[in-house]
Amino acid sequence: MRLSLKIFGLIVACLTIVGCAYTTQSELPENIKTIEVLTFGNSTYYNQLEGDLTREIIKAINLSPRFKVVNKDADAVLSGDIFSVTNTGLEYDKNYQPSSMKTVISARFSLYDNKEGYFVINKRSVASNKDSSTAGNFNSTKSGAYANANEHALAELAQAIVRSMVSNW
């Protein structure tokens, strides 16, 4: 009986130690409440992605109860650039035109703490569609929701940037 209590205690202690190493808390300092989002750069050949991504990031940040997007005097500044857009045909019609396509958009972002004067995050790379989601998929046989692969990939990329910014896995 004593041996099983010791083993139980040892297991509890190990799980406690392991559990402390895993956290979903924000890596952002508590002093960051307001964020200015600069228009992202775009080094790809796809026009207007930078404005669309910036708008999607603002929407995603505003969904968080902790943060507010402001135009000046922010606690932190979020900036970045789109550096890659990859379109992959998944299915083709009889004329060898893609009827189904997956779009993956990649960007780097940085978050600068204005109050403390340092980069909390510096040039972190993030991409849309890292999982098997269909957010960046285009299918010409579907209507509405899948009509614009870039639009969906940008929304997913914005969410990935905000998740990456606020969670410390």
Side-chain angles (χ1 to χ4, degrees), residues 99-141:
S99 59
S100 177
M101 183 171 59
K102 181 173 189 136
T103 297
V104 177
I105 302 174
S106 301
R108 279 180 292 270
F109 74 94
S110 299
L111 186 74
Y112 187 79
D113 185 329
N114 279 333
K115 292 189 175 194
E116 300 297 324
Y118 73 98
F119 281 100
V120 178
I121 299 168
N122 194 16
K123 296 183 181 176
R124 181 176 293 170
S125 292
V126 180
S128 66
N129 280 329
K130 284 197 164 195
D131 58 16
S132 60
S133 131
T134 58
N137 285 6
F138 163 79
N139 188 330
S140 63
T141 63

Side-chain angles (χ1 to χ4, degrees), residues 26-107:
S26 174
E27 79 178 70
L28 299 182
E30 288 297 317
N31 69 313
I32 295 178
K33 304 277 189 235
T34 58
I35 300 173
E36 179 181 0
V37 180
L38 301 181
T39 301
F40 270 49
N42 181 3
S43 58
T44 72
Y45 294 106
Y46 294 85
N47 294 327
Q48 301 177 336
L49 291 181
E50 60 278 4
D52 294 339
L53 177 60
T54 303
R55 280 187 291 283
E56 289 295 332
I57 290 170
I58 290 169
K59 279 192 236 177
I61 291 173
N62 282 332
L63 290 175
S64 168
R66 178 177 166 197
F67 304 109
K68 180 180 177 186
V69 175
V70 296
N71 290 328
K72 63 179 186 170
D73 300 325
D75 300 330
V77 176
L78 177 66
S79 61
D81 67 291
I82 300 167
F83 64 87
S84 173
V85 177
T86 305
N87 294 306
T88 305
L90 301 175
E91 296 176 14
Y92 295 87
D93 64 17
K94 64 183 179 181
N95 297 321
Y96 304 107
Q97 296 298 313
S99 59
S100 177
M101 183 171 59
K102 181 173 189 136
T103 297
V104 177
I105 302 174
S106 301

Side-chain angles (χ1 to χ4, degrees), residues 139-148 152:
N139 188 330
S140 63
T141 63
K142 307 243 183 203
S143 63
Y146 296 96
N148 188 336
H152 296 286

